[in-house]
Amino acid sequence: MVADVLPNYSAQEKSQAVAEILSFHHVVFHRTQWHHLDKNHRSIRKYEKTLRDLCELHQVPFGPVLAITSWENSGGSDKVSWADAAGLGQMTWGAVEQAHEFAAQESRRALERAKAKRRIAERTGDPKAMADARAYAQQAQRMDVEKRHHEMAGRARVPDERMLAECNLEDVVLFYKFLLSHYPGR
């Protein structure tokens, strides 16, 4: 996992990272007031396929996101912390908004690529360019997560999308991708 999360670190830096991670062993391997990892692991394992699919879709390494959600979920998808962090990924509204904004930016980029490929296809008749244009357009639509999550919450009749496992996990994945894009290799 260290290699996935810190691919640009030297061997010495990776060794230091492992030492720092292991320094949390007491909290990780012993029950605390807020964390009981057996319950946390059981909770996230119910959604492992969904999480794996979302990581693949958004091209984010699965291992670190699984670790984050295993730690953060506090034993259920309906948990809300004292800091108003909610769901399996314990997302705050600020983190959700950042994930949605990042997805919107990705959507706009995909739409621009779709338009460029469509222009090429119209000019040249290239079927591959037209297929690429359709793929980029589909990607752009998929990245409109704010609207989709709002609709999912409405259909489920929950006022807080963070309580829906798929929405919460997708926001975690997108927020993680946002962080990776701003802090490459760290």
Side-chain angles (χ1 to χ4, degrees):
M1 185 173 82
V2 170
D4 285 345
V5 176
L6 310 169
N8 299 330
Y9 275 32
S10 69
Q12 183 180 4
E13 290 170 321
K14 287 179 183 176
S15 178
Q16 179 63 34
V18 168
E20 290 175 12
I21 291 165
L22 291 177
S23 71
F24 288 98
H25 83 282
H26 180 80
V27 177
V28 171
F29 295 107
H30 297 86
R31 293 178 186 177
T32 70
Q33 180 179 354
W34 297 280
H35 295 282
H36 179 224
L37 285 186
D38 290 343
K39 280 175 39 180
N40 292 21
H41 292 315
R42 267 194 310 278
S43 293
I44 199 61
R45 290 291 180 199
K46 293 177 197 172
Y47 302 100
E48 185 174 350
K49 182 180 178 345
T50 300
L51 184 59
R52 191 177 296 277
D53 291 346
L54 289 167
C55 286
E56 184 178 320
L57 174 71
H58 295 295
Q59 300 173 336
V60 171
F62 172 71
V65 179
L66 177 64
I68 291 165
T69 54
S70 289
W71 175 255
E72 289 292 346
N73 76 64
S74 298
S77 61
D78 61 345
K79 303 295 183 184
V80 180
S81 77
W82 61 269
D84 198 35
L88 291 167
Q90 286 294 284
M91 295 291 286
T92 63
W93 279 113
V96 169
E97 289 168 8
Q98 184 62 63
H100 289 181
E101 177 55 34
F102 179 74
Q105 291 170 1
E106 294 279 302
S107 178
R108 288 189 292 274
R109 282 190 210 98
L111 277 177
E112 289 303 315
R113 289 185 198 115
K115 289 176 186 176
K117 288 292 185 176
R118 194 171 297 115
R119 285 191 296 272
I120 291 169
E122 289 168 354
R123 203 170 53 244
T124 66
D126 181 3
K128 182 173 179 345
M130 186 52 79
D132 289 346
R134 281 191 295 274
Y136 283 129
Q138 288 173 343
Q139 180 186 6
Q141 184 177 13
R142 175 72 177 136
M143 292 304 290
D144 189 0
V145 296
E146 184 172 12
K147 178 182 175 189
R148 187 166 34 81
H149 289 184
H150 180 72
E151 289 170 354
M152 290 169 71
R155 284 192 302 273
R157 296 189 175 157
V158 296
D160 188 341
E161 74 170 54
R162 298 175 304 164
M163 296 302 159
L164 296 176
E166 185 177 342
C167 295
N168 189 284
L169 293 174
E170 187 166 32
D171 288 337
V172 169
V173 169
L174 288 168
F175 188 71
Y176 187 71
K177 187 172 183 173
F178 162 75
L179 292 173
L180 288 175
S181 74
H182 279 72
Y183 305 101
R186 302 193 322 266

